[in-house]
Amino acid sequence: MTRAETYQLRAQLLELLREAGHPINSAALARMLPWHTERLDLGCELVCLAPRHNRDLEVVECHGNWHVVRRPRSSQDSGAGIYRHLRSLAREGLVRAIKQGPRRVEWEYIARLR
């Protein structure tokens, strides 16, 4: 993920939390975001020709031994996931983590006075 993509994702997360006006968990936030586009270094047998049990993967470009695909975001994706970005926003004082249980956290926008 480039620096520009990181800033854009964090801005989208802040906007979603601000507009919601109530705490939201990271999985729900991930579902609200636009799908993620990425390159997969996999052949057609694993992408184009594989049985489609999961319809949440859209092939954008097929190049034989690599593909460009789109898929929904997840809170735990490496690189493109949102959890690490939410933690960073919390360190900056822009959002607050509200612990709901041992492995359950909701996130809330913190209004800043100008």
Side-chain angles (χ1 to χ4, degrees):
M1 177 173 270
T2 67
R3 189 174 298 207
E5 290 169 332
T6 295
Y7 290 143
Q8 180 181 13
L9 177 58
R10 290 180 184 177
Q12 289 172 326
L13 289 168
L14 282 174
E15 186 64 20
L16 287 171
L17 287 168
R18 188 184 63 75
E19 286 179 357
H22 59 83
I24 302 175
N25 66 42
S26 56
L29 279 168
R31 287 189 299 270
M32 298 167 138
L33 290 168
W35 281 26
H36 176 66
T37 302
E38 64 184 325
R39 176 186 165 140
L40 293 180
D41 290 321
L42 299 172
C44 286
E45 64 279 359
L46 295 174
V47 181
C48 298
L49 304 175
R52 287 280 191 229
H53 299 291
N54 182 358
R55 291 284 175 203
D56 288 341
L57 182 72
E58 177 184 307
V59 177
V60 178
E61 296 177 21
C62 171
H63 297 278
N65 61 350
W66 64 276
H67 295 77
V68 176
V69 298
R70 289 182 62 229
R71 61 176 178 75
R73 289 194 185 269
S74 164
S75 60
Q76 298 298 325
D77 288 340
S78 62
I82 65 168
Y83 185 75
R84 68 185 183 96
H85 297 289
L86 289 165
R87 289 184 45 126
S88 177
L89 291 169
R91 281 191 301 274
E92 293 177 31
L94 300 171
V95 301
R96 173 181 20 243
I98 303 168
K99 191 168 177 121
Q100 301 290 321
R103 292 185 47 106
R104 189 163 169 224
V105 175
E106 290 187 345
W107 302 90
E108 179 179 49
Y109 176 78
I110 298 173
R112 294 187 129 190
L113 300 174
R114 294 184 183 224

